[in-house]
Protein backbone atom coordinates (compact mmCIF):
# COMPACT_ATOMS: atom_id res chain seq x y z
CA UNK A 1 0.00 0.00 0.00
CA UNK A 2 1.57 3.36 -1.03
CA UNK A 3 1.85 6.29 1.29
CA UNK A 4 -1.28 8.40 1.35
CA UNK A 5 0.60 11.62 0.54
CA UNK A 6 2.82 11.03 -2.47
CA UNK A 7 3.40 14.81 -2.56
CA UNK A 8 3.39 17.05 0.53
CA UNK A 9 -0.20 18.02 1.33
CA UNK A 10 0.74 21.67 1.82
CA UNK A 11 2.37 21.82 -1.60
CA UNK A 12 -0.59 20.10 -3.22
CA UNK A 13 -3.02 22.51 -1.54
CA UNK A 14 -1.11 25.50 -2.91
CA UNK A 15 -1.19 23.97 -6.38
CA UNK A 16 -4.96 23.41 -6.24
CA UNK A 17 -5.52 26.97 -4.99
CA UNK A 18 -3.62 28.30 -8.02
CA UNK A 19 -5.56 26.02 -10.34
CA UNK A 20 -8.87 27.18 -8.84
CA UNK A 21 -8.09 30.82 -9.64
CA UNK A 22 -7.52 29.98 -13.32
CA UNK A 23 -10.59 27.85 -14.04
CA UNK A 24 -12.23 30.12 -16.59
CA UNK A 25 -13.44 29.14 -20.04
CA UNK A 26 -15.56 26.08 -19.35
CA UNK A 27 -14.47 22.45 -18.90
CA UNK A 28 -12.03 22.48 -21.84
CA UNK A 29 -10.09 25.39 -20.35
CA UNK A 30 -10.27 23.96 -16.84
CA UNK A 31 -8.94 20.57 -17.93
CA UNK A 32 -6.17 22.32 -19.86
CA UNK A 33 -5.13 24.25 -16.73
CA UNK A 34 -4.95 21.04 -14.68
CA UNK A 35 -3.02 19.23 -17.41
CA UNK A 36 -0.49 22.06 -17.67
CA UNK A 37 -0.08 22.28 -13.88
CA UNK A 38 -0.06 18.60 -12.90
CA UNK A 39 1.42 16.94 -15.99
CA UNK A 40 3.62 19.50 -17.76
CA UNK A 41 4.91 21.78 -15.00
CA UNK A 42 4.92 19.79 -11.75
CA UNK A 43 5.04 16.36 -13.45
CA UNK A 44 3.10 14.67 -10.67
CA UNK A 45 1.12 12.59 -13.19
CA UNK A 46 1.84 11.12 -16.61
CA UNK A 47 -0.20 12.13 -19.64
CA UNK A 48 -1.81 8.71 -20.03
CA UNK A 49 -2.73 8.45 -16.37
CA UNK A 50 -4.28 11.92 -16.53
CA UNK A 51 -6.34 11.03 -19.63
CA UNK A 52 -7.31 7.72 -18.04
CA UNK A 53 -8.76 9.59 -15.07
CA UNK A 54 -10.54 11.97 -17.42
CA UNK A 55 -12.14 9.10 -19.33
CA UNK A 56 -13.73 7.85 -16.11
CA UNK A 57 -14.99 11.30 -15.16
CA UNK A 58 -16.63 11.62 -18.58
CA UNK A 59 -18.82 8.63 -17.71
CA UNK A 60 -20.30 10.36 -14.68
CA UNK A 61 -23.08 12.90 -14.22
CA UNK A 62 -21.86 16.26 -13.03
CA UNK A 63 -19.01 18.64 -13.97
CA UNK A 64 -16.24 16.45 -15.33
CA UNK A 65 -13.51 19.03 -14.68
CA UNK A 66 -14.28 19.23 -10.96
CA UNK A 67 -14.53 15.46 -10.74
CA UNK A 68 -11.16 15.21 -12.46
CA UNK A 69 -9.75 17.53 -9.79
CA UNK A 70 -11.21 15.30 -7.05
CA UNK A 71 -9.86 12.18 -8.71
CA UNK A 72 -6.32 13.48 -9.25
CA UNK A 73 -6.31 14.95 -5.73
CA UNK A 74 -7.27 11.48 -4.45
CA UNK A 75 -4.43 9.90 -6.44
CA UNK A 76 -1.89 12.27 -4.92
CA UNK A 77 -3.09 12.60 -1.33
CA UNK A 78 -5.89 10.13 -0.67
CA UNK A 79 -9.40 11.14 0.31
CA UNK A 80 -8.23 14.32 2.07
CA UNK A 81 -6.49 15.38 -1.13
CA UNK A 82 -9.67 14.74 -3.11
CA UNK A 83 -11.70 16.84 -0.69
CA UNK A 84 -9.23 19.73 -0.81
CA UNK A 85 -8.97 19.69 -4.60
CA UNK A 86 -12.74 19.46 -5.11
CA UNK A 87 -13.61 22.20 -2.62
CA UNK A 88 -10.94 24.62 -3.80
CA UNK A 89 -11.97 24.04 -7.41
CA UNK A 90 -15.43 25.57 -6.81
CA UNK A 91 -14.77 27.96 -3.91
CA UNK A 92 -13.67 31.05 -5.92
CA UNK A 93 -16.68 30.70 -8.21
CA UNK A 94 -19.10 30.36 -5.28
CA UNK A 95 -17.83 33.56 -3.67
CA UNK A 96 -17.68 35.53 -6.93
CA UNK A 97 -21.13 34.44 -8.09
CA UNK A 98 -22.67 35.26 -4.70
CA UNK A 99 -21.45 38.83 -5.04
CA UNK A 100 -22.59 39.16 -8.64
CA UNK A 101 -25.99 37.62 -7.86
CA UNK A 102 -26.56 40.16 -5.07
CA UNK A 103 -25.48 42.99 -7.37
CA UNK A 104 -27.94 41.83 -10.02
CA UNK A 105 -30.84 41.29 -7.61
CA UNK A 106 -30.36 44.48 -5.60
CA UNK A 107 -29.12 46.89 -8.26
CA UNK A 108 -30.02 45.32 -11.58
CA UNK A 109 -32.36 48.18 -12.42
CA UNK A 110 -29.64 50.84 -12.30
CA UNK A 111 -28.32 52.15 -15.61
CA UNK A 112 -24.78 50.83 -15.11
CA UNK A 113 -25.71 47.30 -14.04
CA UNK A 114 -28.60 47.02 -16.49
CA UNK A 115 -26.35 48.09 -19.34
CA UNK A 116 -23.64 45.56 -18.50
CA UNK A 117 -26.14 42.71 -18.25
CA UNK A 118 -27.85 43.82 -21.45
CA UNK A 119 -24.55 43.24 -23.21
CA UNK A 120 -23.67 39.95 -21.52
CA UNK A 121 -26.90 38.13 -22.38
CA UNK A 122 -26.57 38.34 -26.21
CA UNK A 123 -22.92 37.28 -25.98
CA UNK A 124 -24.04 34.01 -24.42
CA UNK A 125 -25.76 33.08 -27.70
CA UNK A 126 -22.44 32.99 -29.51
CA UNK A 127 -20.81 31.03 -26.69
CA UNK A 128 -23.54 28.39 -26.63
CA UNK A 129 -23.47 28.09 -30.43
CA UNK A 130 -19.73 27.58 -30.24
CA UNK A 131 -20.33 24.79 -27.71
CA UNK A 132 -22.76 23.11 -30.15
CA UNK A 133 -20.18 23.11 -32.92
CA UNK A 134 -17.30 21.99 -30.71
CA UNK A 135 -19.14 19.10 -29.12
CA UNK A 136 -20.75 18.15 -32.42
CA UNK A 137 -17.42 18.09 -34.21
CA UNK A 138 -16.08 15.55 -31.73
CA UNK A 139 -19.20 13.48 -31.12
CA UNK A 140 -21.15 13.21 -34.39
CA UNK A 141 -18.84 10.94 -36.36
CA UNK A 142 -21.46 8.57 -37.81
CA UNK A 143 -24.94 8.98 -39.29
CA UNK A 144 -26.51 7.13 -36.37
CA UNK A 145 -24.97 9.59 -33.92
CA UNK A 146 -26.18 12.53 -36.03
CA UNK A 147 -29.66 10.99 -35.96
CA UNK A 148 -29.55 10.67 -32.17
CA UNK A 149 -28.57 14.34 -31.91
CA UNK A 150 -31.41 15.49 -34.17
CA UNK A 151 -33.90 13.27 -32.33
CA UNK A 152 -32.86 14.75 -28.99
CA UNK A 153 -33.33 18.28 -30.32
CA UNK A 154 -36.77 17.51 -31.75
CA UNK A 155 -37.89 15.72 -28.59
CA UNK A 156 -36.99 18.70 -26.44
CA UNK A 157 -37.85 21.63 -28.73
CA UNK A 158 -41.10 20.33 -30.25
CA UNK A 159 -42.52 17.76 -27.86
CA UNK A 160 -41.29 18.89 -24.45
CA UNK A 161 -39.89 15.47 -23.52
CA UNK A 162 -38.25 15.65 -20.06
CA UNK A 163 -34.48 15.94 -20.21
CA UNK A 164 -33.72 12.83 -18.07
CA UNK A 165 -35.77 10.67 -20.47
CA UNK A 166 -33.83 12.03 -23.45
CA UNK A 167 -30.51 11.18 -21.76
CA UNK A 168 -31.69 7.72 -20.71
CA UNK A 169 -33.13 6.96 -24.14
CA UNK A 170 -29.94 8.01 -25.91
CA UNK A 171 -27.83 5.79 -23.67
CA UNK A 172 -30.10 2.79 -24.23
CA UNK A 173 -30.13 3.33 -28.00
CA UNK A 174 -26.35 3.65 -28.09
CA UNK A 175 -26.04 0.36 -26.21
CA UNK A 176 -28.59 -1.44 -28.42
CA UNK A 177 -27.03 -0.25 -31.68
CA UNK A 178 -23.60 -1.29 -30.44
CA UNK A 179 -24.86 -4.83 -29.78
CA UNK A 180 -26.00 -5.22 -33.40
CA UNK A 181 -23.62 -2.95 -35.33
CA UNK A 182 -20.65 -1.74 -33.28
CA UNK A 183 -19.25 0.15 -36.28
CA UNK A 184 -22.21 2.55 -36.23
CA UNK A 185 -21.24 4.02 -32.85
CA UNK A 186 -17.54 3.23 -32.50
CA UNK A 187 -16.67 6.35 -34.44
CA UNK A 188 -17.68 8.48 -31.50
CA UNK A 189 -15.17 6.96 -29.10
CA UNK A 190 -12.18 8.94 -28.02
CA UNK A 191 -8.76 7.57 -28.92
CA UNK A 192 -5.89 8.95 -26.96
CA UNK A 193 -2.64 9.66 -28.67
CA UNK A 194 0.27 7.36 -28.12
CA UNK A 195 2.49 10.02 -26.61
CA UNK A 196 2.66 10.12 -22.86
CA UNK A 197 4.10 13.63 -22.56
CA UNK A 198 6.91 14.35 -20.08
CA UNK A 199 7.88 11.51 -17.77
CA UNK A 200 6.21 11.92 -14.36
CA UNK A 201 8.32 12.32 -11.24
CA UNK A 202 5.98 9.97 -9.35
CA UNK A 203 5.64 6.37 -10.65
CA UNK A 204 2.13 5.10 -11.28
CA UNK A 205 2.44 2.40 -8.63
CA UNK A 206 3.24 5.04 -6.00
CA UNK A 207 -0.06 6.85 -6.48
CA UNK A 208 -2.84 6.32 -3.97
CA UNK A 209 -5.18 3.37 -4.44
CA UNK A 210 -7.81 1.56 -2.41
CA UNK A 211 -8.98 -2.04 -2.35
CA UNK A 212 -12.70 -2.12 -3.23
CA UNK A 213 -14.99 -3.96 -0.86
CA UNK A 214 -18.67 -3.99 -0.06
CA UNK A 215 -18.02 -2.45 3.36
CA UNK A 216 -16.08 0.43 1.82
CA UNK A 217 -18.73 0.97 -0.84
CA UNK A 218 -21.56 0.86 1.68
CA UNK A 219 -19.80 3.35 3.95
CA UNK A 220 -19.25 5.79 1.07
CA UNK A 221 -22.82 5.51 -0.23
CA UNK A 222 -24.50 5.81 3.17
CA UNK A 223 -22.12 8.50 4.38
CA UNK A 224 -22.49 10.48 1.17
CA UNK A 225 -26.28 10.22 1.23
CA UNK A 226 -26.34 11.38 4.85
CA UNK A 227 -24.06 14.34 4.15
CA UNK A 228 -26.17 15.25 1.10
CA UNK A 229 -29.51 15.00 2.91
CA UNK A 230 -28.83 16.61 6.30
CA UNK A 231 -28.91 20.28 5.13
CA UNK A 232 -32.14 19.67 3.20
CA UNK A 233 -33.67 17.95 6.23
CA UNK A 234 -32.64 20.85 8.46
CA UNK A 235 -34.23 23.30 6.02
CA UNK A 236 -37.44 21.27 6.14
CA UNK A 237 -37.40 21.23 9.94
CA UNK A 238 -36.77 24.98 10.26
CA UNK A 239 -38.72 26.41 7.34
CA UNK A 240 -41.25 23.67 6.52
CA UNK A 241 -41.42 20.93 3.91
CA UNK A 242 -42.95 23.20 1.26
CA UNK A 243 -40.49 26.06 1.70
CA UNK A 244 -38.51 27.28 -1.29
CA UNK A 245 -35.30 25.99 0.32
CA UNK A 246 -36.52 22.39 0.35
CA UNK A 247 -37.96 22.70 -3.16
CA UNK A 248 -34.65 24.02 -4.49
CA UNK A 249 -32.59 21.51 -2.53
CA UNK A 250 -34.56 18.53 -3.83
CA UNK A 251 -34.74 19.84 -7.40
CA UNK A 252 -31.07 20.73 -7.79
CA UNK A 253 -29.95 17.68 -5.83
CA UNK A 254 -31.89 15.49 -8.24
CA UNK A 255 -30.56 17.45 -11.21
CA UNK A 256 -26.99 16.76 -10.06
CA UNK A 257 -27.63 13.05 -10.61
CA UNK A 258 -28.63 13.42 -14.29
CA UNK A 259 -26.21 16.06 -15.59
CA UNK A 260 -24.57 13.80 -18.16
CA UNK A 261 -22.75 15.71 -20.88
CA UNK A 262 -21.84 18.79 -18.86
CA UNK A 263 -23.69 21.89 -17.75
CA UNK A 264 -24.87 22.97 -21.20
CA UNK A 265 -26.75 19.71 -21.58
CA UNK A 266 -28.84 20.15 -18.43
CA UNK A 267 -29.35 23.92 -18.49
CA UNK A 268 -32.34 23.75 -20.84
CA UNK A 269 -34.04 21.38 -18.37
CA UNK A 270 -33.13 23.63 -15.44
CA UNK A 271 -34.37 26.72 -17.30
CA UNK A 272 -37.63 25.05 -18.24
CA UNK A 273 -38.40 23.97 -14.69
CA UNK A 274 -37.08 27.04 -12.87
CA UNK A 275 -38.81 29.52 -15.20
CA UNK A 276 -42.01 27.78 -16.29
CA UNK A 277 -42.80 25.33 -13.49
CA UNK A 278 -41.49 27.03 -10.33
CA UNK A 279 -41.39 30.68 -11.44
CA UNK A 280 -38.17 31.34 -9.54
CA UNK A 281 -36.91 33.73 -12.22
CA UNK A 282 -37.66 34.86 -15.79
CA UNK A 283 -36.19 33.52 -19.02
CA UNK A 284 -34.22 36.75 -19.41
CA UNK A 285 -32.86 36.32 -15.87
CA UNK A 286 -31.76 32.78 -16.76
CA UNK A 287 -29.77 34.01 -19.76
CA UNK A 288 -28.07 36.67 -17.65
CA UNK A 289 -27.28 34.10 -14.98
CA UNK A 290 -25.49 31.98 -17.55
CA UNK A 291 -23.52 35.05 -18.62
CA UNK A 292 -22.48 35.59 -15.00
CA UNK A 293 -21.42 31.96 -14.63
CA UNK A 294 -19.31 32.33 -17.80
CA UNK A 295 -17.42 35.26 -16.25
CA UNK A 296 -16.53 33.53 -12.97
CA UNK A 297 -14.07 30.71 -12.26
CA UNK A 298 -15.30 27.18 -11.65
CA UNK A 299 -17.82 24.86 -13.33
CA UNK A 300 -20.53 26.41 -15.48
CA UNK A 301 -23.16 24.45 -13.52
CA UNK A 302 -22.63 27.12 -10.83
CA UNK A 303 -25.43 28.97 -12.64
CA UNK A 304 -27.83 26.94 -10.46
CA UNK A 305 -26.55 28.98 -7.51
CA UNK A 306 -27.77 32.14 -9.29
CA UNK A 307 -31.15 30.52 -9.99
CA UNK A 308 -31.54 29.56 -6.33
CA UNK A 309 -30.44 33.03 -5.20
CA UNK A 310 -33.08 34.81 -7.29
CA UNK A 311 -35.77 32.30 -6.37
CA UNK A 312 -35.32 32.92 -2.65
CA UNK A 313 -34.76 36.65 -3.15
CA UNK A 314 -38.19 36.92 -4.76
CA UNK A 315 -39.89 34.78 -2.08
CA UNK A 316 -37.92 35.30 1.16
CA UNK A 317 -40.77 34.53 3.56
CA UNK A 318 -40.02 35.86 7.04
CA UNK A 319 -36.33 36.50 6.30
CA UNK A 320 -34.67 39.46 4.66
CA UNK A 321 -34.20 38.86 0.91
CA UNK A 322 -30.43 38.67 1.16
CA UNK A 323 -30.61 36.19 4.05
CA UNK A 324 -33.03 33.92 2.21
CA UNK A 325 -30.98 34.15 -0.99
CA UNK A 326 -27.73 33.33 0.82
CA UNK A 327 -29.23 30.23 2.47
CA UNK A 328 -30.75 29.02 -0.80
CA UNK A 329 -27.51 29.60 -2.74
CA UNK A 330 -25.31 27.70 -0.29
CA UNK A 331 -27.83 24.86 0.05
CA UNK A 332 -28.07 24.49 -3.73
CA UNK A 333 -24.29 24.54 -4.11
CA UNK A 334 -24.02 21.83 -1.43
CA UNK A 335 -26.50 19.41 -2.99
CA UNK A 336 -25.06 20.02 -6.46
CA UNK A 337 -21.45 19.12 -5.67
CA UNK A 338 -21.64 16.54 -2.86
CA UNK A 339 -22.53 13.74 -5.35
CA UNK A 340 -19.31 14.47 -7.28
CA UNK A 341 -17.20 13.40 -4.30
CA UNK A 342 -19.29 10.27 -3.77
CA UNK A 343 -18.98 9.21 -7.41
CA UNK A 344 -15.20 9.56 -7.40
CA UNK A 345 -14.46 7.98 -4.02
CA UNK A 346 -16.82 5.11 -4.79
CA UNK A 347 -15.76 4.39 -8.35
CA UNK A 348 -12.03 5.14 -8.38
CA UNK A 349 -10.95 1.57 -7.50
CA UNK A 350 -13.00 0.26 -10.45
CA UNK A 351 -11.67 2.70 -13.05
CA UNK A 352 -9.72 0.13 -15.04
CA UNK A 353 -12.68 -2.22 -15.23
CA UNK A 354 -15.01 0.54 -16.39
CA UNK A 355 -12.47 1.83 -18.88
CA UNK A 356 -12.49 -1.48 -20.76
CA UNK A 357 -16.26 -1.92 -20.82
CA UNK A 358 -17.30 -1.60 -24.49
CA UNK A 359 -21.05 -1.61 -23.77
CA UNK A 360 -20.72 1.22 -21.27
CA UNK A 361 -18.61 3.21 -23.71
CA UNK A 362 -21.28 2.74 -26.38
CA UNK A 363 -23.99 4.04 -24.04
CA UNK A 364 -21.82 7.06 -23.25
CA UNK A 365 -21.31 7.66 -26.98
CA UNK A 366 -25.08 7.73 -27.49
CA UNK A 367 -25.51 10.17 -24.60
CA UNK A 368 -22.74 12.41 -25.94
CA UNK A 369 -24.42 12.52 -29.36
CA UNK A 370 -27.74 13.47 -27.78
CA UNK A 371 -26.00 16.20 -25.80
CA UNK A 372 -25.34 18.06 -29.06
CA UNK A 373 -29.08 18.23 -29.70
CA UNK A 374 -29.70 19.24 -26.09
CA UNK A 375 -27.22 22.13 -26.34
CA UNK A 376 -28.79 23.19 -29.65
CA UNK A 377 -32.15 23.33 -27.89
CA UNK A 378 -30.56 25.45 -25.18
CA UNK A 379 -29.27 27.85 -27.86
CA UNK A 380 -32.79 28.10 -29.30
CA UNK A 381 -34.30 28.73 -25.86
CA UNK A 382 -31.82 31.48 -25.02
CA UNK A 383 -32.16 33.07 -28.47
CA UNK A 384 -35.92 33.41 -28.17
CA UNK A 385 -35.75 34.94 -24.68
CA UNK A 386 -32.88 37.28 -25.58
CA UNK A 387 -33.98 38.59 -28.97
CA UNK A 388 -37.69 38.93 -28.18
CA UNK A 389 -39.34 40.69 -25.27
CA UNK A 390 -42.45 38.46 -25.28
CA UNK A 391 -42.93 34.75 -25.89
CA UNK A 392 -45.72 32.20 -25.63
CA UNK A 393 -46.00 28.42 -25.57
CA UNK A 394 -48.11 26.79 -28.29
CA UNK A 395 -49.61 23.41 -27.42
CA UNK A 396 -51.30 21.18 -30.00
CA UNK A 397 -51.63 17.51 -29.14
CA UNK A 398 -48.14 16.23 -28.33
CA UNK A 399 -46.51 19.41 -29.64
CA UNK A 400 -45.21 21.84 -27.01
CA UNK A 401 -43.38 24.72 -28.74
CA UNK A 402 -41.99 28.00 -27.44
CA UNK A 403 -42.87 30.73 -29.97
CA UNK A 404 -41.73 34.40 -29.93
CA UNK A 405 -44.01 37.35 -30.46
CA UNK A 406 -42.42 38.69 -33.63
CA UNK A 407 -43.49 42.28 -33.01
CA UNK A 408 -41.44 42.30 -29.81
CA UNK A 409 -38.10 41.83 -31.61
CA UNK A 410 -35.32 43.80 -29.89
CA UNK A 411 -32.64 45.14 -32.23
CA UNK A 412 -30.11 46.09 -29.52
CA UNK A 413 -29.42 42.56 -28.24
CA UNK A 414 -29.54 41.30 -31.83
CA UNK A 415 -26.80 43.75 -32.81
CA UNK A 416 -24.64 42.75 -29.84
CA UNK A 417 -25.20 39.06 -30.65
CA UNK A 418 -23.92 39.66 -34.19
CA UNK A 419 -20.80 41.33 -32.77
CA UNK A 420 -20.29 38.40 -30.39
CA UNK A 421 -20.59 35.91 -33.25
CA UNK A 422 -17.94 37.81 -35.24
CA UNK A 423 -15.59 37.96 -32.24
CA UNK A 424 -15.96 34.28 -31.40
CA UNK A 425 -16.01 32.70 -34.86
CA UNK A 426 -14.20 35.20 -37.07
CA UNK A 427 -11.56 36.63 -34.74
CA UNK A 428 -11.52 33.58 -32.41
CA UNK A 429 -11.50 35.68 -29.25
CA UNK A 430 -11.67 34.07 -25.82
CA UNK A 431 -14.89 33.86 -23.84
CA UNK A 432 -13.84 36.46 -21.26
CA UNK A 433 -12.60 38.92 -23.88
CA UNK A 434 -15.82 38.58 -25.87
CA UNK A 435 -17.98 39.03 -22.76
CA UNK A 436 -16.00 42.14 -21.80
CA UNK A 437 -16.51 43.83 -25.16
CA UNK A 438 -20.20 42.96 -25.25
CA UNK A 439 -20.67 44.27 -21.71
CA UNK A 440 -19.20 47.64 -22.80
CA UNK A 441 -21.45 47.69 -25.87
CA UNK A 442 -24.50 47.01 -23.72
CA UNK A 443 -23.56 49.84 -21.38
CA UNK A 444 -23.09 52.27 -24.28
CA UNK A 445 -26.47 51.36 -25.75
CA UNK A 446 -28.10 51.75 -22.34
CA UNK A 447 -26.59 55.20 -21.86
CA UNK A 448 -27.63 56.20 -25.38
Amino acid sequence: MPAVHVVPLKEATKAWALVALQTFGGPAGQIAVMQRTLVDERRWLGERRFLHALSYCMLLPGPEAQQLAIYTGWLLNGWIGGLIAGVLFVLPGVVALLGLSWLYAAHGDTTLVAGVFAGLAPAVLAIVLQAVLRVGGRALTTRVLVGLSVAAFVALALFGVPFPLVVLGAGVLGWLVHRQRPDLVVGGEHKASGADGPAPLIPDDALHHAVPSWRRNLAIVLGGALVWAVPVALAAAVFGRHSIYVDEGLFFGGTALVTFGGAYAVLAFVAQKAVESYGWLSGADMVKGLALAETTPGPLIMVVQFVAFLGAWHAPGDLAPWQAALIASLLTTWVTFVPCFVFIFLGAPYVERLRGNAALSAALTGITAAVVGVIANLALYFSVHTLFERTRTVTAGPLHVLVPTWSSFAWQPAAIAVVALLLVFRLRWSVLRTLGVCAVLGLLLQLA
Side-chain angles (χ1 to χ4, degrees):
M1 181 74 178
V4 172
H5 302 297
V6 297
V7 298
L9 186 60
K10 184 177 180 180
E11 184 179 352
T13 301
K14 289 181 179 179
W16 286 116
L18 291 175
V19 167
L21 295 175
Q22 304 175 63
T23 52
F24 294 92
Q30 294 159 1
I31 291 168
V33 168
M34 283 188 282
Q35 183 170 13
R36 185 181 71 244
T37 302
L38 302 177
V39 177
D40 299 335
E41 296 177 355
R42 298 180 182 268
R43 293 167 59 196
W44 288 342
L45 294 171
E47 178 80 10
R48 291 185 180 179
R49 189 60 180 262
F50 182 83
L51 293 177
H52 184 62
L54 176 60
S55 69
Y56 170 61
C57 296
M58 289 294 293
L59 296 172
L60 301 173
E64 64 267 26
Q66 195 232 3
Q67 289 168 335
L68 180 61
I70 298 170
Y71 185 77
T72 50
W74 178 80
L75 284 176
L76 297 171
N77 296 97
W79 67 269
I80 188 66
L83 287 176
I84 290 173
V87 170
L88 287 179
F89 194 86
V90 300
L91 188 59
V94 170
V95 175
L97 197 54
L98 272 177
L100 291 172
S101 299
W102 172 83
L103 184 65
Y104 177 79
H107 304 287
D109 55 349
T110 63
T111 300
L112 176 63
V113 177
V116 169
F117 282 108
L120 290 176
V124 170
L125 302 183
I127 295 169
V128 175
L129 182 58
Q130 183 186 51
V132 174
L133 298 178
R134 282 182 174 177
V135 177
R138 295 194 303 265
L140 306 183
T141 55
T142 70
R143 292 183 179 180
V144 168
L145 297 178
V146 172
L148 280 175
S149 177
V150 173
F153 176 81
V154 171
L156 291 165
L158 300 184
F159 296 98
V161 178
F163 168 77
L165 292 182
V166 173
V167 171
L168 178 62
V172 172
L173 287 174
W175 174 72
L176 290 175
V177 172
H178 182 267
R179 290 189 63 186
Q180 302 298 322
R181 290 284 303 278
D183 58 298
L184 296 181
V185 294
V186 73
E189 295 179 0
H190 172 74
K191 294 178 175 61
S193 61
D196 194 29
L201 297 176
I202 302 170
D204 277 356
D205 57 5
L207 295 172
H208 180 79
H209 65 264
V211 178
S213 68
W214 70 267
R215 287 188 177 88
R216 178 183 181 276
N217 295 345
L218 185 62
I220 292 174
V221 171
L222 293 181
L226 183 64
V227 168
W228 182 94
V230 163
V232 181
L234 287 176
V238 175
F239 301 106
R241 163 60 187 87
H242 299 290
S243 67
I244 191 171
Y245 312 103
V246 178
D247 288 342
E248 289 182 344
L250 293 177
F251 173 70
F252 289 116
T255 300
L257 303 179
V258 295
T259 52
F260 293 95
Y264 280 122
V266 78
L267 282 180
F269 170 68
V270 170
Q272 178 187 17
K273 292 294 185 181
V275 174
E276 300 175 11
S277 300
Y278 292 104
W280 291 331
L281 73 174
S282 67
D285 289 334
M286 186 71 197
V287 177
K288 293 170 184 175
L290 180 59
L292 287 182
E294 292 277 11
T295 64
T296 55
L300 188 58
I301 196 63
M302 288 302 303
V303 69
V304 301
Q305 176 186 315
F306 174 84
V307 175
F309 188 100
L310 283 193
W313 181 279
H314 294 148
D318 296 330
L319 300 180
W322 69 267
Q323 293 174 326
L326 178 63
I327 293 172
S329 295
L330 296 180
L331 179 64
T332 294
T333 301
W334 181 269
V335 299
T336 297
F337 290 105
V338 164
C340 296
F341 294 90
V342 176
F343 292 145
I344 297 301
F345 293 151
L346 181 66
Y350 301 98
V351 166
E352 295 297 332
R353 195 176 306 173
L354 287 173
R355 176 65 170 166
N357 191 311
L360 191 59
S361 296
L364 176 65
T365 301
I367 291 173
T368 305
V371 161
V372 180
V374 174
I375 301 175
N377 178 62
L378 178 69
L380 175 64
Y381 181 90
F382 283 165
S383 298
V384 171
H385 282 287
T386 300
L387 304 180
F388 298 89
E389 296 178 359
R390 296 187 300 276
T391 63
R392 59 192 177 94
T393 300
V394 175
T395 302
L399 291 176
H400 189 81
V401 185
L402 180 68
V403 177
T405 301
W406 298 101
S407 60
S408 66
F409 178 77
W411 69 267
Q412 295 95 334
I416 296 176
V418 170
V419 172
L421 289 169
L422 291 174
L423 295 179
V424 169
F425 291 100
R426 183 72 174 178
L427 301 181
R428 301 186 183 278
W429 280 20
S430 67
V431 168
L432 285 179
R433 195 178 179 188
T434 300
L435 289 171
V437 169
C438 292
V440 172
L441 290 176
L443 179 59
L444 293 176
L445 288 175
Q446 186 79 7
L447 294 174

